[in-house]
Amino acid sequence: MDRDEDILWLRDELTRRFDLVLRPSAGEIDRFRDEAVRLATLVGDREAAELAAARQVFLMQTGAARDGRVTDLRSAA
């Protein structure tokens, strides 16, 4: 079995890597993977794509965004 196919390992790795308070569900992990692949295709930088995907999937905006920048994020879980 590949490490990326082991959902428990991947969940723990994503939790550690992105300092998540709550562990992501299988659906969130699937959304993260899809978004990371999509962004990596556009950007060409896997690290930047994964970071942006993590922000989109695991965090949500709670305050007003000014100038297109998100200033206040919290866990979506």
Side-chain angles (χ1 to χ4, degrees), residues 11-55:
R11 182 189 69 185
D12 292 344
E13 179 65 14
L14 290 171
T15 300
R16 180 196 61 77
R17 185 165 175 213
F18 296 111
D19 297 324
L20 302 176
V21 175
L22 300 174
R23 291 183 174 161
S25 68
E28 288 172 321
I29 291 172
D30 287 340
R31 286 192 353 244
F32 166 78
R33 284 177 167 165
D34 294 343
E35 187 63 13
V37 168
R38 186 184 76 78
L39 291 172
T41 302
L42 294 173
V43 177
D45 181 1
R46 182 178 175 188
E47 284 291 320
E50 288 180 351
L51 182 59
R55 284 181 172 254

mmCIF file of all heavy atoms in Angstrom, residues 11-55:
data_model
loop_
_atom_site.group_PDB
_atom_site.id
_atom_site.type_symbol
_atom_site.label_atom_id
_atom_site.label_comp_id
_atom_site.label_asym_id
_atom_site.label_seq_id
_atom_site.Cartn_x
_atom_site.Cartn_y
_atom_site.Cartn_z
ATOM 1 N N ARG A 11 -4.016 11.712 6.640
ATOM 2 C CA ARG A 11 -4.733 12.638 7.521
ATOM 3 C C ARG A 11 -3.794 13.185 8.589
ATOM 4 O O ARG A 11 -3.752 14.387 8.852
ATOM 5 C CB ARG A 11 -5.911 11.911 8.166
ATOM 6 C CG ARG A 11 -6.740 12.810 9.070
ATOM 7 C CD ARG A 11 -7.742 12.018 9.848
ATOM 8 N NE ARG A 11 -7.037 11.194 10.813
ATOM 9 C CZ ARG A 11 -7.623 10.302 11.588
ATOM 10 N NH1 ARG A 11 -8.909 10.082 11.495
ATOM 11 N NH2 ARG A 11 -6.923 9.603 12.454
ATOM 12 N N ASP A 12 -3.007 12.309 9.218
ATOM 13 C CA ASP A 12 -2.067 12.751 10.248
ATOM 14 C C ASP A 12 -0.974 13.639 9.667
ATOM 15 O O ASP A 12 -0.556 14.612 10.282
ATOM 16 C CB ASP A 12 -1.448 11.544 10.954
ATOM 17 C CG ASP A 12 -2.464 10.778 11.792
ATOM 18 O OD1 ASP A 12 -3.541 11.333 12.078
ATOM 19 O OD2 ASP A 12 -2.184 9.621 12.140
ATOM 20 N N GLU A 13 -0.511 13.310 8.466
ATOM 21 C CA GLU A 13 0.529 14.116 7.813
ATOM 22 C C GLU A 13 0.002 15.505 7.470
ATOM 23 O O GLU A 13 0.689 16.509 7.680
ATOM 24 C CB GLU A 13 1.027 13.395 6.560
ATOM 25 C CG GLU A 13 2.091 14.145 5.796
ATOM 26 C CD GLU A 13 3.404 14.318 6.548
ATOM 27 O OE1 GLU A 13 3.630 13.653 7.568
ATOM 28 O OE2 GLU A 13 4.211 15.146 6.100
ATOM 29 N N LEU A 14 -1.205 15.597 6.938
ATOM 30 C CA LEU A 14 -1.787 16.903 6.624
ATOM 31 C C LEU A 14 -2.013 17.713 7.891
ATOM 32 O O LEU A 14 -1.785 18.929 7.914
ATOM 33 C CB LEU A 14 -3.105 16.735 5.861
ATOM 34 C CG LEU A 14 -2.988 16.219 4.434
ATOM 35 C CD1 LEU A 14 -4.373 15.887 3.882
ATOM 36 C CD2 LEU A 14 -2.284 17.223 3.546
ATOM 37 N N THR A 15 -2.458 17.047 8.954
ATOM 38 C CA THR A 15 -2.677 17.726 10.234
ATOM 39 C C THR A 15 -1.378 18.332 10.740
ATOM 40 O O THR A 15 -1.332 19.479 11.169
ATOM 41 C CB THR A 15 -3.253 16.736 11.269
ATOM 42 O OG1 THR A 15 -4.491 16.230 10.775
ATOM 43 C CG2 THR A 15 -3.485 17.418 12.610
ATOM 44 N N ARG A 16 -0.292 17.540 10.687
ATOM 45 C CA ARG A 16 1.012 18.022 11.150
ATOM 46 C C ARG A 16 1.569 19.112 10.235
ATOM 47 O O ARG A 16 2.020 20.155 10.696
ATOM 48 C CB ARG A 16 2.009 16.848 11.197
ATOM 49 C CG ARG A 16 3.397 17.259 11.675
ATOM 50 C CD ARG A 16 4.433 16.203 11.345
ATOM 51 N NE ARG A 16 4.571 15.947 9.933
ATOM 52 C CZ ARG A 16 5.232 16.753 9.079
ATOM 53 N NH1 ARG A 16 5.782 17.864 9.509
ATOM 54 N NH2 ARG A 16 5.331 16.449 7.801
ATOM 55 N N ARG A 17 1.489 18.888 8.946
ATOM 56 C CA ARG A 17 2.121 19.798 7.995
ATOM 57 C C ARG A 17 1.478 21.177 7.969
ATOM 58 O O ARG A 17 2.160 22.191 7.818
ATOM 59 C CB ARG A 17 2.072 19.178 6.600
ATOM 60 C CG ARG A 17 2.809 19.978 5.586
ATOM 61 C CD ARG A 17 3.037 19.176 4.340
ATOM 62 N NE ARG A 17 3.641 20.031 3.354
ATOM 63 C CZ ARG A 17 3.428 19.918 2.071
ATOM 64 N NH1 ARG A 17 2.670 18.974 1.600
ATOM 65 N NH2 ARG A 17 4.002 20.743 1.236
ATOM 66 N N PHE A 18 0.164 21.232 8.103
ATOM 67 C CA PHE A 18 -0.525 22.512 8.029
ATOM 68 C C PHE A 18 -1.020 22.998 9.393
ATOM 69 O O PHE A 18 -1.844 23.889 9.477
ATOM 70 C CB PHE A 18 -1.680 22.423 7.023
ATOM 71 C CG PHE A 18 -1.195 22.172 5.620
ATOM 72 C CD1 PHE A 18 -1.431 20.965 4.986
ATOM 73 C CD2 PHE A 18 -0.455 23.126 4.935
ATOM 74 C CE1 PHE A 18 -0.967 20.720 3.701
ATOM 75 C CE2 PHE A 18 0.018 22.895 3.655
ATOM 76 C CZ PHE A 18 -0.239 21.689 3.041
ATOM 77 N N ASP A 19 -0.515 22.400 10.473
ATOM 78 C CA ASP A 19 -0.848 22.806 11.840
ATOM 79 C C ASP A 19 -2.355 22.891 12.057
ATOM 80 O O ASP A 19 -2.863 23.872 12.599
ATOM 81 C CB ASP A 19 -0.198 24.156 12.178
ATOM 82 C CG ASP A 19 1.313 24.067 12.152
ATOM 83 O OD1 ASP A 19 1.855 23.026 12.543
ATOM 84 O OD2 ASP A 19 1.939 25.053 11.729
ATOM 85 N N LEU A 20 -3.055 21.858 11.637
ATOM 86 C CA LEU A 20 -4.504 21.844 11.791
ATOM 87 C C LEU A 20 -4.868 21.427 13.212
ATOM 88 O O LEU A 20 -4.248 20.551 13.796
ATOM 89 C CB LEU A 20 -5.138 20.871 10.791
ATOM 90 C CG LEU A 20 -4.834 21.142 9.316
ATOM 91 C CD1 LEU A 20 -5.439 20.044 8.457
ATOM 92 C CD2 LEU A 20 -5.374 22.493 8.914
ATOM 93 N N VAL A 21 -5.886 22.053 13.765
ATOM 94 C CA VAL A 21 -6.336 21.711 15.105
ATOM 95 C C VAL A 21 -7.150 20.420 15.068
ATOM 96 O O VAL A 21 -6.983 19.537 15.899
ATOM 97 C CB VAL A 21 -7.174 22.858 15.699
ATOM 98 C CG1 VAL A 21 -7.747 22.469 17.036
ATOM 99 C CG2 VAL A 21 -6.333 24.120 15.815
ATOM 100 N N LEU A 22 -8.038 20.310 14.102
ATOM 101 C CA LEU A 22 -8.848 19.116 13.924
ATOM 102 C C LEU A 22 -8.358 18.354 12.712
ATOM 103 O O LEU A 22 -7.905 18.944 11.735
ATOM 104 C CB LEU A 22 -10.320 19.507 13.732
ATOM 105 C CG LEU A 22 -10.942 20.268 14.897
ATOM 106 C CD1 LEU A 22 -12.348 20.716 14.525
ATOM 107 C CD2 LEU A 22 -10.963 19.431 16.152
ATOM 108 N N ARG A 23 -8.470 17.061 12.751
ATOM 109 C CA ARG A 23 -8.014 16.256 11.621
ATOM 110 C C ARG A 23 -9.046 16.303 10.496
ATOM 111 O O ARG A 23 -10.248 16.246 10.739
ATOM 112 C CB ARG A 23 -7.788 14.824 12.069
ATOM 113 C CG ARG A 23 -6.607 14.737 12.993
ATOM 114 C CD ARG A 23 -6.349 13.326 13.373
ATOM 115 N NE ARG A 23 -5.119 13.264 14.138
ATOM 116 C CZ ARG A 23 -4.805 12.262 14.915
ATOM 117 N NH1 ARG A 23 -5.616 11.248 15.036
ATOM 118 N NH2 ARG A 23 -3.678 12.278 15.578
ATOM 119 N N PRO A 24 -8.571 16.388 9.264
ATOM 120 C CA PRO A 24 -9.495 16.474 8.126
ATOM 121 C C PRO A 24 -10.219 15.152 7.874
ATOM 122 O O PRO A 24 -9.699 14.081 8.157
ATOM 123 C CB PRO A 24 -8.588 16.828 6.956
ATOM 124 C CG PRO A 24 -7.229 16.386 7.369
ATOM 125 C CD PRO A 24 -7.176 16.479 8.862
ATOM 126 N N SER A 25 -11.408 15.271 7.323
ATOM 127 C CA SER A 25 -12.184 14.092 6.945
ATOM 128 C C SER A 25 -11.682 13.569 5.601
ATOM 129 O O SER A 25 -10.918 14.240 4.899
ATOM 130 C CB SER A 25 -13.660 14.448 6.829
ATOM 131 O OG SER A 25 -13.854 15.317 5.728
ATOM 132 N N ALA A 26 -12.141 12.394 5.225
ATOM 133 C CA ALA A 26 -11.761 11.821 3.935
ATOM 134 C C ALA A 26 -12.213 12.724 2.789
ATOM 135 O O ALA A 26 -11.501 12.901 1.805
ATOM 136 C CB ALA A 26 -12.360 10.422 3.780
ATOM 137 N N GLY A 27 -13.392 13.328 2.915
ATOM 138 C CA GLY A 27 -13.888 14.239 1.885
ATOM 139 C C GLY A 27 -13.021 15.478 1.751
ATOM 140 O O GLY A 27 -12.754 15.944 0.636
ATOM 141 N N GLU A 28 -12.575 16.030 2.883
ATOM 142 C CA GLU A 28 -11.694 17.201 2.843
ATOM 143 C C GLU A 28 -10.348 16.841 2.222
ATOM 144 O O GLU A 28 -9.777 17.641 1.468
ATOM 145 C CB GLU A 28 -11.492 17.759 4.248
ATOM 146 C CG GLU A 28 -12.715 18.444 4.792
ATOM 147 C CD GLU A 28 -12.563 18.815 6.253
ATOM 148 O OE1 GLU A 28 -11.990 18.018 7.026
ATOM 149 O OE2 GLU A 28 -13.026 19.899 6.625
ATOM 150 N N ILE A 29 -9.852 15.657 2.526
ATOM 151 C CA ILE A 29 -8.585 15.230 1.939
ATOM 152 C C ILE A 29 -8.730 15.093 0.433
ATOM 153 O O ILE A 29 -7.853 15.517 -0.326
ATOM 154 C CB ILE A 29 -8.098 13.915 2.578
ATOM 155 C CG1 ILE A 29 -7.677 14.187 4.026
ATOM 156 C CG2 ILE A 29 -6.945 13.304 1.792
ATOM 157 C CD1 ILE A 29 -7.349 12.950 4.825
ATOM 158 N N ASP A 30 -9.841 14.536 -0.029
ATOM 159 C CA ASP A 30 -10.082 14.420 -1.476
ATOM 160 C C ASP A 30 -10.166 15.798 -2.123
ATOM 161 O O ASP A 30 -9.605 16.018 -3.195
ATOM 162 C CB ASP A 30 -11.362 13.632 -1.763
ATOM 163 C CG ASP A 30 -11.206 12.150 -1.489
ATOM 164 O OD1 ASP A 30 -10.056 11.665 -1.451
ATOM 165 O OD2 ASP A 30 -12.238 11.482 -1.309
ATOM 166 N N ARG A 31 -10.868 16.736 -1.483
ATOM 167 C CA ARG A 31 -10.953 18.108 -2.019
ATOM 168 C C ARG A 31 -9.579 18.757 -2.051
ATOM 169 O O ARG A 31 -9.233 19.466 -3.002
ATOM 170 C CB ARG A 31 -11.925 18.948 -1.186
ATOM 171 C CG ARG A 31 -13.357 18.589 -1.443
ATOM 172 C CD ARG A 31 -14.392 19.555 -0.882
ATOM 173 N NE ARG A 31 -13.923 20.621 -0.047
ATOM 174 C CZ ARG A 31 -14.246 20.762 1.258
ATOM 175 N NH1 ARG A 31 -15.013 19.889 1.856
ATOM 176 N NH2 ARG A 31 -13.796 21.769 1.946
ATOM 177 N N PHE A 32 -8.771 18.538 -1.003
ATOM 178 C CA PHE A 32 -7.415 19.074 -0.960
ATOM 179 C C PHE A 32 -6.581 18.531 -2.118
ATOM 180 O O PHE A 32 -5.916 19.285 -2.817
ATOM 181 C CB PHE A 32 -6.752 18.738 0.378
ATOM 182 C CG PHE A 32 -5.265 18.950 0.374
ATOM 183 C CD1 PHE A 32 -4.733 20.230 0.481
ATOM 184 C CD2 PHE A 32 -4.385 17.887 0.243
ATOM 185 C CE1 PHE A 32 -3.355 20.437 0.466
ATOM 186 C CE2 PHE A 32 -3.015 18.072 0.224
ATOM 187 C CZ PHE A 32 -2.509 19.351 0.337
ATOM 188 N N ARG A 33 -6.633 17.217 -2.320
ATOM 189 C CA ARG A 33 -5.861 16.597 -3.406
ATOM 190 C C ARG A 33 -6.258 17.169 -4.760
ATOM 191 O O ARG A 33 -5.403 17.513 -5.582
ATOM 192 C CB ARG A 33 -6.084 15.093 -3.428
ATOM 193 C CG ARG A 33 -5.353 14.329 -2.372
ATOM 194 C CD ARG A 33 -5.726 12.875 -2.465
ATOM 195 N NE ARG A 33 -4.851 12.034 -1.680
ATOM 196 C CZ ARG A 33 -5.148 10.792 -1.372
ATOM 197 N NH1 ARG A 33 -6.273 10.251 -1.775
ATOM 198 N NH2 ARG A 33 -4.307 10.075 -0.653
ATOM 199 N N ASP A 34 -7.566 17.250 -5.013
ATOM 200 C CA ASP A 34 -8.059 17.770 -6.296
ATOM 201 C C ASP A 34 -7.621 19.213 -6.515
ATOM 202 O O ASP A 34 -7.161 19.583 -7.598
ATOM 203 C CB ASP A 34 -9.585 17.671 -6.376
ATOM 204 C CG ASP A 34 -10.093 16.241 -6.406
ATOM 205 O OD1 ASP A 34 -9.291 15.326 -6.694
ATOM 206 O OD2 ASP A 34 -11.291 16.046 -6.124
ATOM 207 N N GLU A 35 -7.765 20.025 -5.475
ATOM 208 C CA GLU A 35 -7.393 21.440 -5.596
ATOM 209 C C GLU A 35 -5.885 21.597 -5.755
ATOM 210 O O GLU A 35 -5.411 22.435 -6.524
ATOM 211 C CB GLU A 35 -7.902 22.223 -4.387
ATOM 212 C CG GLU A 35 -7.713 23.710 -4.491
ATOM 213 C CD GLU A 35 -8.479 24.362 -5.643
ATOM 214 O OE1 GLU A 35 -9.368 23.728 -6.240
ATOM 215 O OE2 GLU A 35 -8.175 25.529 -5.949
ATOM 216 N N ALA A 36 -5.089 20.798 -5.042
ATOM 217 C CA ALA A 36 -3.629 20.873 -5.151
ATOM 218 C C ALA A 36 -3.178 20.510 -6.566
ATOM 219 O O ALA A 36 -2.298 21.177 -7.126
ATOM 220 C CB ALA A 36 -2.971 19.964 -4.122
ATOM 221 N N VAL A 37 -3.789 19.494 -7.141
ATOM 222 C CA VAL A 37 -3.436 19.100 -8.518
ATOM 223 C C VAL A 37 -3.808 20.213 -9.491
ATOM 224 O O VAL A 37 -3.025 20.573 -10.379
ATOM 225 C CB VAL A 37 -4.133 17.771 -8.892
ATOM 226 C CG1 VAL A 37 -4.036 17.504 -10.381
ATOM 227 C CG2 VAL A 37 -3.546 16.628 -8.097
ATOM 228 N N ARG A 38 -5.009 20.773 -9.319
ATOM 229 C CA ARG A 38 -5.460 21.849 -10.210
ATOM 230 C C ARG A 38 -4.527 23.058 -10.124
ATOM 231 O O ARG A 38 -4.087 23.595 -11.139
ATOM 232 C CB ARG A 38 -6.888 22.263 -9.847
ATOM 233 C CG ARG A 38 -7.489 23.274 -10.807
ATOM 234 C CD ARG A 38 -8.863 23.725 -10.336
ATOM 235 N NE ARG A 38 -8.779 24.673 -9.232
ATOM 236 C CZ ARG A 38 -8.473 25.968 -9.355
ATOM 237 N NH1 ARG A 38 -8.190 26.470 -10.544
ATOM 238 N NH2 ARG A 38 -8.436 26.759 -8.310
ATOM 239 N N LEU A 39 -4.180 23.460 -8.904
ATOM 240 C CA LEU A 39 -3.315 24.626 -8.727
ATOM 241 C C LEU A 39 -1.883 24.353 -9.189
ATOM 242 O O LEU A 39 -1.231 25.242 -9.736
ATOM 243 C CB LEU A 39 -3.336 25.078 -7.267
ATOM 244 C CG LEU A 39 -4.651 25.675 -6.790
ATOM 245 C CD1 LEU A 39 -4.608 25.912 -5.284
ATOM 246 C CD2 LEU A 39 -4.969 26.956 -7.532
ATOM 247 N N ALA A 40 -1.392 23.142 -8.975
ATOM 248 C CA ALA A 40 -0.040 22.810 -9.415
ATOM 249 C C ALA A 40 0.072 22.892 -10.933
ATOM 250 O O ALA A 40 1.096 23.307 -11.468
ATOM 251 C CB ALA A 40 0.347 21.411 -8.938
ATOM 252 N N THR A 41 -1.010 22.532 -11.623
ATOM 253 C CA THR A 41 -1.028 22.628 -13.076
ATOM 254 C C THR A 41 -0.956 24.088 -13.514
ATOM 255 O O THR A 41 -0.254 24.428 -14.463
ATOM 256 C CB THR A 41 -2.310 21.982 -13.643
ATOM 257 O OG1 THR A 41 -2.362 20.630 -13.211
ATOM 258 C CG2 THR A 41 -2.341 22.029 -15.150
ATOM 259 N N LEU A 42 -1.651 24.953 -12.788
ATOM 260 C CA LEU A 42 -1.670 26.374 -13.129
ATOM 261 C C LEU A 42 -0.378 27.086 -12.734
ATOM 262 O O LEU A 42 0.160 27.882 -13.500
ATOM 263 C CB LEU A 42 -2.849 27.074 -12.448
ATOM 264 C CG LEU A 42 -4.247 26.658 -12.896
ATOM 265 C CD1 LEU A 42 -5.294 27.309 -12.002
ATOM 266 C CD2 LEU A 42 -4.468 27.028 -14.347
ATOM 267 N N VAL A 43 0.101 26.804 -11.535
ATOM 268 C CA VAL A 43 1.235 27.530 -10.968
ATOM 269 C C VAL A 43 2.574 26.901 -11.333
ATOM 270 O O VAL A 43 3.554 27.603 -11.533
ATOM 271 C CB VAL A 43 1.090 27.605 -9.425
ATOM 272 C CG1 VAL A 43 2.272 28.287 -8.785
ATOM 273 C CG2 VAL A 43 -0.197 28.290 -9.040
ATOM 274 N N GLY A 44 2.619 25.580 -11.376
ATOM 275 C CA GLY A 44 3.869 24.894 -11.669
ATOM 276 C C GLY A 44 4.749 24.688 -10.452
ATOM 277 O O GLY A 44 5.852 24.182 -10.564
ATOM 278 N N ASP A 45 4.282 25.055 -9.280
ATOM 279 C CA ASP A 45 5.038 24.892 -8.039
ATOM 280 C C ASP A 45 4.185 24.081 -7.071
ATOM 281 O O ASP A 45 3.177 24.564 -6.565
ATOM 282 C CB ASP A 45 5.366 26.263 -7.449
ATOM 283 C CG ASP A 45 6.170 26.177 -6.165
ATOM 284 O OD1 ASP A 45 6.497 25.063 -5.714
ATOM 285 O OD2 ASP A 45 6.478 27.249 -5.600
ATOM 286 N N ARG A 46 4.598 22.842 -6.816
ATOM 287 C CA ARG A 46 3.795 21.947 -5.991
ATOM 288 C C ARG A 46 3.629 22.465 -4.564
ATOM 289 O O ARG A 46 2.551 22.407 -3.992
ATOM 290 C CB ARG A 46 4.429 20.557 -5.981
ATOM 291 C CG ARG A 46 3.637 19.566 -5.180
ATOM 292 C CD ARG A 46 4.248 18.205 -5.217
ATOM 293 N NE ARG A 46 3.519 17.321 -4.333
ATOM 294 C CZ ARG A 46 3.904 16.117 -4.032
ATOM 295 N NH1 ARG A 46 5.002 15.630 -4.549
ATOM 296 N NH2 ARG A 46 3.197 15.382 -3.227
ATOM 297 N N GLU A 47 4.708 22.953 -3.957
ATOM 298 C CA GLU A 47 4.636 23.454 -2.575
ATOM 299 C C GLU A 47 3.640 24.610 -2.456
ATOM 300 O O GLU A 47 2.814 24.642 -1.553
ATOM 301 C CB GLU A 47 6.014 23.900 -2.091
ATOM 302 C CG GLU A 47 6.930 22.764 -1.743
ATOM 303 C CD GLU A 47 6.490 22.008 -0.493
ATOM 304 O OE1 GLU A 47 6.039 22.645 0.479
ATOM 305 O OE2 GLU A 47 6.586 20.773 -0.505
ATOM 306 N N ALA A 48 3.740 25.561 -3.367
ATOM 307 C CA ALA A 48 2.824 26.708 -3.340
ATOM 308 C C ALA A 48 1.392 26.257 -3.590
ATOM 309 O O ALA A 48 0.457 26.760 -2.959
ATOM 310 C CB ALA A 48 3.247 27.733 -4.385
ATOM 311 N N ALA A 49 1.219 25.307 -4.489
ATOM 312 C CA ALA A 49 -0.118 24.802 -4.793
ATOM 313 C C ALA A 49 -0.723 24.095 -3.590
ATOM 314 O O ALA A 49 -1.898 24.285 -3.273
ATOM 315 C CB ALA A 49 -0.057 23.853 -5.985
ATOM 316 N N GLU A 50 0.068 23.286 -2.897
ATOM 317 C CA GLU A 50 -0.439 22.577 -1.725
ATOM 318 C C GLU A 50 -0.781 23.541 -0.594
ATOM 319 O O GLU A 50 -1.778 23.365 0.095
ATOM 320 C CB GLU A 50 0.557 21.527 -1.256
ATOM 321 C CG GLU A 50 0.626 20.340 -2.190
ATOM 322 C CD GLU A 50 1.609 19.284 -1.733
ATOM 323 O OE1 GLU A 50 2.382 19.526 -0.775
ATOM 324 O OE2 GLU A 50 1.602 18.198 -2.339
ATOM 325 N N LEU A 51 0.033 24.563 -0.412
ATOM 326 C CA LEU A 51 -0.261 25.550 0.625
ATOM 327 C C LEU A 51 -1.552 26.296 0.312
ATOM 328 O O LEU A 51 -2.402 26.483 1.182
ATOM 329 C CB LEU A 51 0.903 26.532 0.770
ATOM 330 C CG LEU A 51 0.750 27.590 1.855
ATOM 331 C CD1 LEU A 51 0.565 26.944 3.220
ATOM 332 C CD2 LEU A 51 1.959 28.501 1.863
ATOM 333 N N ALA A 52 -1.714 26.715 -0.929
ATOM 334 C CA ALA A 52 -2.938 27.420 -1.327
ATOM 335 C C ALA A 52 -4.157 26.504 -1.208
ATOM 336 O O ALA A 52 -5.219 26.931 -0.742
ATOM 337 C CB ALA A 52 -2.803 27.940 -2.757
ATOM 338 N N ALA A 53 -4.005 25.249 -1.593
ATOM 339 C CA ALA A 53 -5.112 24.297 -1.489
ATOM 340 C C ALA A 53 -5.478 24.063 -0.026
ATOM 341 O O ALA A 53 -6.661 23.990 0.322
ATOM 342 C CB ALA A 53 -4.737 22.980 -2.161
ATOM 343 N N ALA A 54 -4.484 23.963 0.835
ATOM 344 C CA ALA A 54 -4.748 23.770 2.265
ATOM 345 C C ALA A 54 -5.518 24.961 2.830
ATOM 346 O O ALA A 54 -6.467 24.797 3.604
ATOM 347 C CB ALA A 54 -3.440 23.579 3.024
ATOM 348 N N ARG A 55 -5.129 26.160 2.431
ATOM 349 C CA ARG A 55 -5.848 27.347 2.901
ATOM 350 C C ARG A 55 -7.291 27.347 2.415
ATOM 351 O O ARG A 55 -8.196 27.702 3.158
ATOM 352 C CB ARG A 55 -5.152 28.619 2.432
ATOM 353 C CG ARG A 55 -3.912 28.921 3.210
ATOM 354 C CD ARG A 55 -3.278 30.213 2.706
ATOM 355 N NE ARG A 55 -2.213 30.578 3.593
ATOM 356 C CZ ARG A 55 -2.294 31.574 4.478
ATOM 357 N NH1 ARG A 55 -3.368 32.303 4.563
ATOM 358 N NH2 ARG A 55 -1.285 31.838 5.269
#
